[in-house]
Amino acid sequence: MKGPHGVPDHPQAAATVANPVIAGFHPDPSVCRVGDDYYLACSSFEYFPGVPVFHSRDLVHWTQIGNALERPSQLRLSADTLSSAGVYAPTLRHHDGRFWLIVTVVADGGGNMLFTAADPAGPWSDPIRLPGLPGIDPDLAWDDYGTCWCTVAGVGQVRIDPRTGETFGELHKLWSGTPGAAAPEAPHLYRIDDYWYLLIAEGGTERGHGVSIARGPAPDGPFEPCPANPILTHRSTGHPVQNTGHADLVQAPDGSWWMVLLGVRPRGGTPGWHVLGRETFLAPVTWVDGWPVVGELASGTPDGSAVADRDDFDLAELQAYWISVRSRPADRCTTKERPGWLTLRARGPSLDDPDVTFLGRRAQHLKWRARTLIDPTRGRGGLAVRLDERHHYEIEAGDGRVQVIARIGSVRTVVAEHPFPAGPLVLTVQTGGPRVPGEARAEPDTLSFGIEGLPALATLDGRYLSTEVAGGFTGRVIGMYAATGTVHFDWFDYEAMP
C-alpha cells in the first residue's frame, strides 16, 4: 500500500517496535542511512569519550561501534566544565562518500565543531572549527548545487564550507516555530520530493516537549508550518513515555519513513521522576497531503540494548560503552598495568570533585544489579551511581572499612559503615521498587548497597538521583572510582533484574 508520496504505509509497524530502541542516557539522536545500514549518534555532555555512535540494520536493534570523540585533540573538557555542559546535540550525515558530524561543545575553548570520517566506527578527524557560527544544535544539509546549509537552534541558518569551517553571510532567521512555544531548537533540514522540510523541537525538553515541522520551496525558505503542529507530543497525557522531542527522520530501503526521538520514562508518585536520562525511541511516519504523520510510539520496552553484561578487563583497550567524567588520562585509568584488572589512580578525593577518577556505564534498565570485585589494598575506592557532583550514592572500601555515602545537594553523609579485613571483596548495588507503591509521594525506585554475602548495608531513595531533583540533561551512570591511592578492579558485572 502506497502513501501520497509514493512510499509504503505501515500501520502495523509500530506494533513490532519495542521502545526505547537505545535505552538509558542516549539523548538527542541523529540518524542517517547508507545502503542497508543505519548509523546514529547521541549527545554525551560532560562524559569522555564523547558522542557514542551506533549501527543497525533494522532501526530497532542497535550496537555501539565506537565514540566519535575519543582523543584529547578532539575533545578537551577541563575540570571547570559544568555537569550537563560539554557535548550537545550532534547531527550525523553521509554526503559525498564521507560521514559528517557537527556538534556544539559547551566549554572553554569549545563552540561549534565539525568532524569527518570514512568509517563511522572511526577514526574521526580532529575538529574543524566554525567560529562564525553562533548557537547550539547545528544541522547539516546539502542542496543540489553542493551548497552546505547549517541551521541552528533559534531557528537560524547560514551557509558554510564544511571542509574549512568558513561561514558566508549573516545568520538568517527561518522560523520560530509555533507562536508562544518555548525553545525552538534541534532543527533538521531535508529535501523530500518537491519541498524542503524543516523539523524542529519546541516547548522545552521537559514535559512540554514536542516536534513540529514546516516546509518551503528552498533550503532557506520561506517556510509554512504544518497545520497539524505539533506532529508529535505527549504533553498533558498519561502516556508512559514523556518529554518526547528532538527528532530526526530517515527513509528505509523499502521506502517507508521513520522518526527517532528522545523521551523519558517517569515513575513513582507526583510529579514523576525519570532516572535513566533521556532515551532514544522510534516511531513510524506516513505522509498525508505532503505532511508527515507520526504513528503510535509503542511503549513495550526491551529494557536495554545489547551490551556485554560482564567485563573481566582482559583486553588492552576498554569497551566502547565505558565513559569517564570529563577526561580519561591513561596514567589514571588502564587495563595494562595489572593483567586482567582495571587500575584506577585517584585524582579528586571523591565523587564530589569534578576531577574524580571514574569509569562507568550508562544504566539502561528500570531494575538492575551491578557488582565489582575490588582490591583497595593500596588505596580507597568503590562502586558508585552518579548523576552529577552534587547527586550520587556510592559504596566505598579502604582502610579496613566499607562505607555507604550519599551526596544530595549540599548534604554529604555516611549512611552506613562496616569493618572489613584488608584485601579483595565484592561490592554490590541493586535497584528495587518503591517502598509504598501507588502512594502520591512514592519514589521511582530504591537503591541498596552492600558487600556480597552480607545483608544490605543501606537502602536509599532513588528520587534524589533523578533529573526532576538534580536538574540537567543526563541520566544515571554506574561505575568504579578511586578516592585515594591506587585501586584495582578484577571485573564488573551488570545485569537486568525482573
Side-chain angles (χ1 to χ4, degrees):
M1 180 179 178
K2 298 282 187 176
H5 269 217
V7 300
D9 284 334
H10 37 64
Q12 304 303 317
T16 68
V17 176
N19 270 308
V21 292
I22 307 179
F25 155 45
H26 293 102
D28 308 329
S30 180
V31 65
C32 68
R33 178 176 66 87
V34 182
D36 292 330
D37 297 285
Y38 302 93
Y39 300 98
L40 184 147
C42 296
S43 295
S44 50
F45 295 96
E46 75 265 29
Y47 289 97
F48 182 93
V51 188
V53 180
F54 295 84
H55 169 259
S56 175
R57 296 299 294 270
D58 62 6
L59 288 170
V60 176
H61 303 92
W62 293 89
T63 300
Q64 188 174 353
I65 57 174
N67 295 279
L69 312 186
E70 57 183 1
R71 305 185 302 273
S73 62
Q74 297 171 303
L75 178 64
R76 290 187 181 275
L77 300 177
S78 71
D80 295 332
T81 304
L82 299 176
S83 288
S84 287
V87 181
Y88 281 27
T91 292
L92 177 65
R93 295 292 182 255
H94 185 262
H95 174 75
D96 198 22
R98 294 192 65 80
F99 290 88
W100 303 81
L101 178 79
I102 188 168
V103 301
T104 307
V105 179
V106 181
D108 287 344
N112 286 304
M113 303 179 186
L114 198 152
F115 304 83
T116 69
D119 184 341
W124 287 80
S125 70
D126 282 346
I128 300 165
R129 297 181 179 273
L130 295 100
L133 179 67
I136 62 171
D137 298 3
D139 175 66
L140 294 174
W142 285 263
D143 64 21
D144 293 340
Y145 304 100
T147 301
C148 184
W149 301 85
C150 184
T151 312
V152 296
V155 172
Q157 185 188 78
V158 68
R159 292 184 298 116
I160 70 168
D161 182 339
R163 298 184 181 277
T164 66
E166 183 181 2
T167 55
F168 303 99
E170 297 295 322
L171 196 70
H172 168 64
K173 193 76 169 182
L174 293 182
W175 182 47
S176 298
T178 304
E185 57 190 6
H188 289 307
L189 186 66
Y190 318 88
R191 172 69 178 269
I192 303 172
D193 288 352
D194 297 330
Y195 290 102
W196 285 86
Y197 288 85
L198 178 58
L199 187 77
I200 70 167
E202 59 182 7
T205 197
E206 296 79 32
R207 295 294 192 267
H209 215 198
V211 180
S212 292
I213 196 165
R215 69 186 184 191
D220 56 349
F223 288 95
E224 60 166 323
C226 175
N229 279 336
I231 59 172
L232 173 65
T233 186
H234 287 174
R235 65 177 72 124
S236 301
T237 72
H239 198 286
V241 179
Q242 290 292 321
N243 302 32
T244 50
H246 206 116
D248 202 0
L249 291 169
V250 66
Q251 187 179 26
D254 66 359
S256 62
W257 284 85
W258 297 86
M259 174 182 284
V260 296
L261 65 144
L262 67 77
V264 306
R265 293 182 281 169
R267 294 183 298 151
T270 300
W273 295 273
H274 75 276
V275 300
L276 298 181
R278 299 172 300 163
E279 308 175 274
T280 292
F281 291 80
L282 179 70
V285 173
T286 54
W287 293 84
V288 177
D289 297 330
W291 294 107
V293 177
V294 184
E296 174 64 21
L297 187 68
S299 58
T301 173
D303 231 3
S305 56
V307 295
D309 290 327
R310 180 184 174 101
D311 195 335
D312 287 297
F313 303 118
D314 292 330
L315 301 177
E317 302 298 330
L318 290 167
Q319 303 278 4
Y321 58 80
W322 289 115
I323 52 177
S324 297
V325 182
R326 297 178 180 82
S327 66
R328 187 191 292 166
D331 63 338
R332 299 287 176 173
C333 178
T334 181
T335 57
K336 299 175 182 178
E337 178 174 315
R338 184 173 175 179
W341 292 70
L342 169 72
T343 298
L344 298 182
R345 285 192 174 82
R347 289 188 297 181
S350 76
L351 284 161
D352 299 350
D353 195 300
D355 212 22
V356 66
T357 300
F358 174 85
L359 185 76
R361 55 154 293 165
R362 296 159 172 91
Q364 292 186 277
H365 301 83
L366 297 175
K367 293 184 179 180
W368 51 265
R369 180 179 67 176
R371 305 178 303 149
T372 188
L373 174 58
I374 181 176
D375 180 358
T377 304
R378 297 173 52 207
R380 193 175 73 250
L383 180 62
V385 183
R386 179 188 189 274
L387 204 64
D388 60 28
E389 283 78 29
R390 293 167 52 84
H391 301 86
H392 52 84
Y393 297 154
E394 57 262 28
I395 182 166
E396 185 171 290
D399 304 324
R401 68 186 189 276
V402 174
Q403 297 180 324
V404 178
I405 302 165
R407 172 68 191 264
I408 303 169
S410 59
V411 177
R412 174 186 172 89
T413 185
V414 175
V415 297
E417 186 169 293
H418 186 78
F420 208 86
L425 70 157
V426 176
L427 303 178
T428 69
V429 56
Q430 179 172 330
T431 62
R435 293 181 176 90
V436 187
E439 201 266 337
R441 294 178 295 170
E443 61 270 86
D445 61 359
T446 56
L447 294 96
S448 297
F449 293 80
I451 304 167
E452 189 160 82
L454 298 177
L457 297 181
T459 298
L460 304 176
D461 189 327
R463 84 186 75 200
Y464 300 108
L465 302 189
S466 73
T467 300
E468 282 75 14
V469 170
F473 303 125
T474 63
R476 290 178 182 171
V477 177
I478 314 155
M480 302 148 288
Y481 70 98
T484 65
T486 300
V487 185
H488 303 284
F489 299 85
D490 188 22
W491 49 263
F492 178 94
D493 182 84
Y494 171 92
E495 61 179 321
M497 302 295 289

